[in-house]
Amino acid sequence: MSVDVVLPCLDEAEALPWVLDRVPDRWRAIVVDNGSTDGSAALARRLGATVVHEPRRGFGSACHAGLLASDAEFVCYCDCDASLDPGLLTGMVDSVGDGSADLVLGRRRPTGRGAWPLHARAGNAALSRLVRRRTGLRLHDLGPMRVARRDALLSLDLTDRRSGYPLQMVVRAADAGWRVREVDVPYRPRTGRSKVTGTWRGTWQAVRDMRRVLDEPAPRAEATAPVAASPTVDEPAPRAEATAPVAVEPRGDGTTPVMVKAEPVVDEGAPVVGERA
């Protein structure tokens, strides 16, 4: 079983050591730097992560760049601000791997004051109701922690590159007949200031992006529910060659860099991270 954890990153140097230390062994952490100015990319590289440079700003841009850079069977998403523990992804991957779900979402459960501002909760609750009306999925949260098979995610043909990306994934998965499941995950106060839900303006922009997604027509019929793969052995499966167009920066050991067609730019660090109503 091969697993990549996509970690969108914008100035998260303070949180990165905690986050990367909790990525399960033999999983690969893909830190997608979205224009950080605090040295996040260099720090992530030193800590052994693969670093992808995505110059186009936007949460969706960073998430999708990570998906394209992945060559694993399973792709996980997790915030890079230490509010969510990547170690909790193991059970979510198991649910997708054993065929009991096609997409598993982490339902955030705040563990301390300030972990989830009131205006952010209100916006999330409103969107959850809209998603239920649009798709029939009884979801309580549209949080960033999630797991699915890479090939299945690519079949959804996700196009949003802003805050609507996570919602578009859920809506298109539901339209394609995927089995979507929620599991509770502890939600800690984040390290540093949120770029989205830390302000009313950021929250309103995110809600507007997501409303635009809900107004989209259903995706084309080709995106269908993924078929569960045959059981795998305990050893990590060999990785296939990446199909996404990426460029790899020089490795720290001085070996010759491998160049493939342009963006996003990838820097290899140390190897290996609802039911319907």
Side-chain angles (χ1 to χ4, degrees), residues 131 134-135 137 166-176 213-214 216 219:
V131 169
R134 164 68 173 77
T135 67
L137 292 175
L167 174 61
Q168 188 179 59
M169 183 187 298
V170 171
V171 170
R172 294 197 174 183
D175 287 339
V213 169
L214 289 171
E216 291 179 353

Side-chain angles (χ1 to χ4, degrees), residues 118 135 144 162 167 265 270:
L118 179 60
T135 67
R162 294 168 59 97
L167 174 61
V265 179

Side-chain angles (χ1 to χ4, degrees), residues 145-164:
M145 181 177 271
R146 51 191 61 197
V147 178
R149 294 181 184 274
R150 176 181 179 273
D151 289 346
L153 286 170
L154 291 172
S155 77
L156 295 178
D157 193 24
L158 301 176
T159 57
D160 192 278
R161 295 296 181 263
R162 294 168 59 97
S163 298

Side-chain angles (χ1 to χ4, degrees), residues 29-33 40-42 44-45 49-53 247 249 265-269:
I30 300 179
V31 174
V32 185
D33 188 73
S40 290
R45 190 180 307 116
T50 294
V51 176
V52 175
H53 299 278
E249 290 184 357
V265 179
V266 179
D267 175 17
E268 289 288 353

